[in-house]
Amino acid sequence: GILGEDMDAESMEFEMLSAQGGDTLAQKEVGWRSLVGRGMEEDHGQALQNLEAAALVGDADALHNLGYMYMNGLGVERNMTKAKGYFDEAAKSNITAAFNALGYMYYRGAGVEKNITLGEHFLKLAADGDDADAAFNLAALYQDLDGNMSRAFPFLEQAADAGFWRAQLAMADVYDMGLERPRNCTAAVGALKKMVETHGGIANELRAAVEAYQDGHTADA
């Protein structure tokens, strides 16, 4: 989606009025904010209305976000065929999140016939565009194919360095269990601490577990 900046109430009101007046940029911004609940109440109906309006004139971000809605059944009935159609259109404009979505669909066989070659192709395109989610998915794909972390590790590291919490958690496991790297409990604790420091929500719930992990394992480092 669009990573819109924080707005004050006056700016948000102006954005809403602009969207109602048919401004495409405002429509996709309001659509995204309504979809994820950033700066305004989460409202999938409002998201759908604004994103569809922006998509009608070919806005690629709006097309991707509509695909996301249909892929996950947010405000609409889940429809993977429609989702893929929107992702395909967004991908024509080199939207990395659309590449990631298509790669994931082909890799997992989600709504399409499973095709590892196409999955790898699209995930690489997205990862090359610094999409952390895609780097994580590509790491998972290589781990599944190879049965080890040799090709997967650089992409897992890319995702973790970008702040993707699932990758940071997986990096802790890699170091703790010595997968393709010498066992390093200090590095494992460091990966978990980084996750706690950068992600308030779920990471706060893991803080006690991290501290317990550190107390029980650092002597082995």
Side-chain angles (χ1 to χ4, degrees):
I2 311 158
L3 297 180
E5 298 179 352
D6 291 335
M7 291 184 178
D8 57 30
E10 185 176 350
S11 298
M12 189 64 69
E13 183 179 1
F14 178 79
E15 198 79 1
M16 290 285 292
L17 290 173
S18 297
Q20 292 167 12
D23 183 283
T24 301
L25 292 177
Q27 287 169 337
K28 76 173 178 179
E29 181 79 7
V30 170
W32 174 74
R33 289 178 182 278
S34 301
L35 176 60
V36 302
R38 179 167 178 178
M40 62 177 61
E41 186 176 349
E42 188 174 307
D43 184 335
H44 293 155
Q46 180 169 267
L48 184 66
Q49 178 183 351
N50 281 278
L51 291 174
E52 284 182 335
L56 281 176
V57 294
D59 186 274
D61 289 309
L63 287 164
H64 164 263
N65 285 332
L66 282 172
Y68 180 83
M69 292 185 74
Y70 277 100
M71 186 180 199
N72 294 282
L74 301 174
V76 294
E77 185 176 347
R78 189 169 186 262
N79 187 320
M80 297 298 282
T81 301
K82 281 189 174 182
K84 183 179 181 298
Y86 283 122
F87 291 143
D88 282 335
E89 288 301 309
K92 292 177 182 178
S93 297
N94 295 319
I95 300 299
T96 56
F99 289 147
N100 175 53
L102 290 169
Y104 179 85
M105 291 177 76
Y106 282 116
Y107 161 41
R108 294 294 189 185
V112 296
E113 185 176 349
K114 187 170 184 175
N115 187 319
I116 295 296
T117 300
L118 281 176
E120 180 185 18
H121 168 72
F122 282 113
L123 290 175
K124 275 188 172 180
L125 287 176
D128 287 346
D130 295 326
D131 188 298
D133 196 359
F136 181 80
N137 287 331
L138 192 56
L141 182 150
Y142 284 137
Q143 187 177 17
D144 285 348
L145 283 180
D146 304 338
N148 59 60
M149 293 295 295
S150 181
R151 285 196 294 172
F153 185 83
F155 295 101
L156 186 63
E157 190 173 40
Q158 175 186 339
D161 288 345
F164 193 64
W165 73 267
R166 293 176 65 192
Q168 292 167 339
L169 187 60
M171 287 287 287
D173 284 338
V174 168
Y175 284 120
D176 180 40
M177 294 185 285
L179 303 175
E180 298 300 321
R181 295 292 185 278
R183 187 167 186 257
N184 187 331
C185 296
T186 300
V189 170
L192 292 175
K193 278 189 171 182
K194 186 175 182 180
M195 182 178 65
V196 169
E197 290 167 359
T198 56
H199 296 280
I202 58 102
N204 280 341
E205 299 174 9
L206 295 172
R207 186 179 301 275
V210 172
E211 292 173 351
Y213 180 96
Q214 184 175 19
D215 289 342
H217 290 76
T218 51
D220 298 330

